[in-house]
Amino acid sequence: MKEKLLLLAPDFFEYPYIITENIENKYQVDVINNENNLYRELWNNSKLRKLLRFLFKHIYLSDQKKIEKLVFNEYIKNPLFKDHYDVIFCIKGDLFPDCLYKLLKNNNSNSRFIMYQWDDTKLLQKTSHFKYFNERYSFNKDDCKVFNMRYLPMFTRVKNDIDISNKRIDILLVGTIDRAHKKRLIILEKIYKKYSSKYNILYYLYAKNADVFTYLKLEKKPLSFDEYIDLMAKSKCVLDIGLKNQKAPTTRFNDAIITNTKVITNNMNIRNYYKENIDFINDKKIEINEAFVRSPYLINNNVIGMTINKWIYELQLL
């Protein structure tokens, strides 16, 4: 008889499906999307309120309690919360009410509670849910030291029919833009304005909100993973413009390894993770290194992406 596993994960690039597919021989897997849009909308609905939360801790705590109660009332309708599980596996989880973690802990007191962070903790809404997990992993080396987590890079999705023979795009950026990404958008606009006549630049920007204003073309739906990887395979370089406080590598770095794509990034901390096929830009004085764009990709057989099977093995889920 299979063990039961509850996967709490954001619905991002079909990752919950991929994880489920690779562990379902051992586990009966149930999935709950733990990124509730209501949480984000309530938290970001007022700039003044956000400022007050920043200035006064009691307002922050009061608002958090009210918002989590509203989100809790949405989630608790799901009958899965009444089931017993051998493993509770959470990815990210900062938009999921702490009271639901407590409920799961009480109902599954002898179960394994595993958490994996694929975002920097400074970008999370909260870290108070960490205490419910005794097995913690992160893709960020610095966060591992601070929060007593084990370092584990994010897995790379492998597409079997990747054709890297036609690198016709000089610089690619596939990403999501919303109100919180204003700085990133300004940098992208500067790069396009300065270099679009010199390089073949392709941006695919999915606009999460209707009130994002830019002269760049915005798309109404995100790319599928296969569409994204096909574009990566056709690109010499991919842009990685990190958010403020972002230190660890995004999944683009892993995807770039399997598509032989170089990375241009403003994240200077990447030197602690990768040494080759990386170049850096300064946010304040943007200069694209032509020699880097035109140079061949350096093959290093010792640098390989983390496979899903190896990732699951490291989490002791096989």
Side-chain angles (χ1 to χ4, degrees):
M1 186 174 177
K2 292 182 180 180
E3 295 182 54
K4 293 185 67 177
L5 182 147
L6 178 62
L7 176 59
L8 307 170
D11 186 13
F12 176 72
F13 259 155
E14 302 171 356
Y15 281 117
Y17 169 78
I18 297 163
I19 294 169
T20 300
E21 188 179 44
N22 283 273
I23 62 175
E24 60 187 2
N25 284 339
K26 182 176 179 180
Y27 298 98
Q28 176 189 323
V29 182
D30 291 324
V31 181
I32 294 177
N33 180 357
N34 66 354
E35 288 219 334
N36 189 294
N37 287 331
L38 176 62
Y39 197 117
R40 186 180 285 110
E41 288 168 7
L42 291 171
W43 198 259
N44 296 315
N45 64 353
S46 167
K47 290 182 180 180
L48 175 59
R49 197 67 185 176
K50 287 174 70 175
L51 176 61
L52 291 174
R53 291 189 202 114
F54 178 78
L55 295 174
F56 303 104
K57 187 175 180 179
H58 70 281
I59 293 179
Y60 176 94
L61 294 174
S62 175
D63 281 6
Q64 185 180 48
K65 187 176 181 180
K66 291 175 184 176
I67 291 171
E68 290 211 344
K69 184 177 181 180
L70 290 170
V71 177
F72 173 86
N73 291 335
E74 288 291 312
Y75 272 116
I76 201 61
K77 299 171 186 176
N78 192 324
L80 294 178
F81 287 104
K82 298 178 181 179
D83 286 357
H84 173 79
Y85 293 93
D86 301 285
V87 181
I88 310 292
F89 180 26
C90 173
I91 296 176
K92 202 166 176 279
D94 59 316
L95 300 184
F96 199 69
D98 279 9
C99 47
L100 285 175
Y101 290 117
K102 186 176 182 179
L103 176 65
L104 289 169
K105 195 77 171 177
N106 290 338
N107 291 345
N108 303 273
S109 56
N110 296 319
S111 304
R112 292 178 65 193
F113 276 72
I114 307 169
M115 181 186 72
Y116 182 79
Q117 288 301 327
W118 66 26
D119 269 348
D120 295 345
T121 55
K122 288 184 178 179
L123 299 177
L124 299 180
Q125 192 74 47
K126 64 179 182 184
T127 59
S128 56
H129 60 298
F130 287 15
K131 62 180 177 286
Y132 296 102
F133 299 88
N134 48 10
E135 299 177 50
R136 306 175 190 172
Y137 300 80
S138 175
F139 82 136
N140 183 310
K141 293 179 180 179
D142 295 332
D143 285 344
C144 287
K145 296 174 184 176
V146 175
F147 292 95
N148 191 28
M149 296 188 280
R150 180 181 169 189
Y151 174 63
L152 180 63
M154 182 57 184
F155 67 83
T156 301
R157 293 180 59 180
V158 178
K159 186 172 181 288
N160 295 324
D161 55 344
I162 298 174
D163 179 7
I164 60 173
S165 62
N166 180 23
K167 295 281 188 178
R168 59 179 179 77
I169 302 168
D170 292 320
I171 299 173
L172 172 73
L173 187 285
V174 175
T176 300
I177 295 293
D178 64 20
R179 291 186 295 265
H181 301 160
K182 188 175 181 180
K183 181 180 176 182
R184 175 188 285 173
L185 189 56
I186 290 172
I187 294 171
L188 294 176
E189 288 175 339
K190 287 180 179 179
I191 292 173
Y192 194 85
K193 184 176 181 179
K194 186 173 182 178
Y195 290 104
S196 59
S197 61
K198 184 173 186 177
Y199 301 116
N200 181 13
I201 297 177
L202 175 62
Y203 287 171
Y204 190 98
L205 300 174
Y206 163 57
K208 231 175 182 181
N209 311 106
D211 59 349
V212 176
F213 300 103
T214 175
Y215 68 84
L216 299 172
K217 182 183 177 183
L218 298 177
E219 307 295 341
K220 294 183 179 180
K221 67 175 184 176
L223 290 176
S224 69
F225 177 78
D226 286 350
E227 291 170 328
Y228 157 66
I229 285 295
D230 284 342
L231 286 179
M232 287 281 285
K234 293 180 174 69
S235 303
K236 297 172 186 174
C237 303
V238 62
L239 284 173
D240 179 77
I241 308 300
L243 299 172
K244 184 181 179 182
N245 295 323
Q246 190 168 324
K247 300 297 182 183
T250 64
T251 54
R252 285 188 193 90
F253 288 88
N254 297 328
D255 300 331
I257 293 172
I258 65 171
T259 58
N260 287 12
T261 306
K262 295 168 291 182
V263 183
I264 300 171
T265 182
N266 64 343
N267 185 350
M268 301 300 172
N269 202 55
I270 292 302
R271 293 187 178 96
N272 296 327
Y273 297 86
Y274 300 102
K275 306 298 182 185
E276 298 164 331
N277 300 304
I278 307 293
D279 202 25
F280 299 93
I281 57 173
N282 187 307
D283 291 351
K284 295 180 181 178
K285 188 180 179 182
I286 296 172
E287 297 287 344
I288 300 291
N289 184 345
E290 182 175 2
F292 178 77
V293 175
R294 307 298 185 197
S295 66
Y297 183 88
L298 299 177
I299 303 294
N300 184 342
N301 293 326
N302 294 320
V303 179
I304 57 175
M306 172 73 70
T307 65
I308 177 66
N309 286 335
K310 180 72 163 49
W311 190 75
I312 289 169
Y313 174 82
E314 293 293 335
L315 290 166
Q316 301 178 49
L317 288 173
L318 285 180

